[in-house]
Amino acid sequence: MLKLNPIHREKKQDWLLSLLLWLLTLVSRLVFVPETVVGSSFDSGNYALAARSFDLFATRPHLPGYYLYVQAIRLLEPLAGDPMRAMVWLAVLFSSLSAGLGYGLLRQWFNRTQAAGIVAVTLSNPLVWYYGCVPEIYAFDLFFGVLLVRTGWSSRSIYLTPFLLGFLSG
């Protein structure tokens, strides 16, 4: 039988814990997704209108516009049924993805228990939990903020950081 050396075993355990945190966050958000999705602010309505007709002069959506987010809404709208439900799906997706990515980032500085604990405390925060279940853009911002820090922290990928920041600003 093939034995894994300690480094490979540790990486495999980290990967499995990251996957578990992602799955727990995904399930915890799906449980609280409302049956009838309504916008929790004017921004939600503006993004829903922008999915139908993107126009910054008519503040659909408000500045800076987040063009890529609007395109993601358009992509999911046929599956979700309407733009608001598509935004909820995106919030659930990005909230749960930020759990796994955040664990990977924190694992560079902390041991396994501490990194998982920090992710669990962050994602169980009522405000973070709320914005992971409603049609708002903040879960999107959380994920890409963690992705930007993760990219900028590594010496191998630091040169991608300006391009990623430009991409995410779109």
Side-chain angles (χ1 to χ4, degrees):
M1 183 167 166
L2 182 66
K3 289 187 178 182
L4 294 176
N5 68 30
I7 293 173
H8 287 112
R9 187 177 309 122
E10 187 172 321
K11 290 210 180 272
K12 184 178 179 182
Q13 289 172 347
D14 284 339
W15 187 84
L16 289 173
L17 187 53
S18 178
L19 185 64
L20 178 66
L21 286 167
W22 170 80
L23 186 62
L24 285 173
T25 306
L26 180 70
V27 170
S28 71
R29 298 313 187 251
L30 288 174
V31 169
F32 288 98
V33 169
E35 193 67 31
T36 304
V37 178
V38 294
S40 56
S41 71
F42 290 117
D43 294 346
S44 303
N46 284 337
Y47 281 110
L49 291 172
R52 302 281 163 87
S53 170
F54 189 89
D55 185 4
L56 288 177
F57 291 112
T59 64
R60 289 189 315 253
H62 67 291
L63 291 174
Y66 293 110
Y67 182 75
L68 295 176
Y69 182 68
V70 172
Q71 295 307 314
I73 295 168
R74 285 183 180 170
L75 183 70
L76 285 179
E77 185 180 354
L79 298 171
D82 69 352
M84 288 290 190
R85 180 130 334 250
M87 285 190 287
V88 169
W89 286 13
L90 286 171
V92 169
L93 174 70
F94 286 118
S95 179
S96 58
L97 287 175
S98 62
L101 192 62
Y103 173 78
L105 176 66
L106 291 167
R107 190 65 178 96
Q108 295 178 9
W109 299 300
F110 301 103
N111 67 37
R112 187 174 293 117
T113 306
Q114 292 168 333
I118 293 169
V119 169
V121 166
T122 301
L123 294 173
S124 64
N125 177 306
L127 196 58
V128 175
W129 200 318
Y130 172 75
Y131 283 121
C133 305
V134 297
E136 291 287 338
I137 195 165
Y138 302 112
F140 181 80
D141 291 339
L142 172 66
F143 173 74
F144 284 111
V146 172
L147 180 63
L148 191 62
V149 171
R150 176 106 166 123
T151 306
W153 191 259
S154 171
S155 61
R156 290 183 299 172
S157 62
I158 194 165
Y159 297 108
L160 294 175
T161 305
F163 300 107
L164 183 62
L165 183 60
F167 178 75
L168 299 177
S169 297

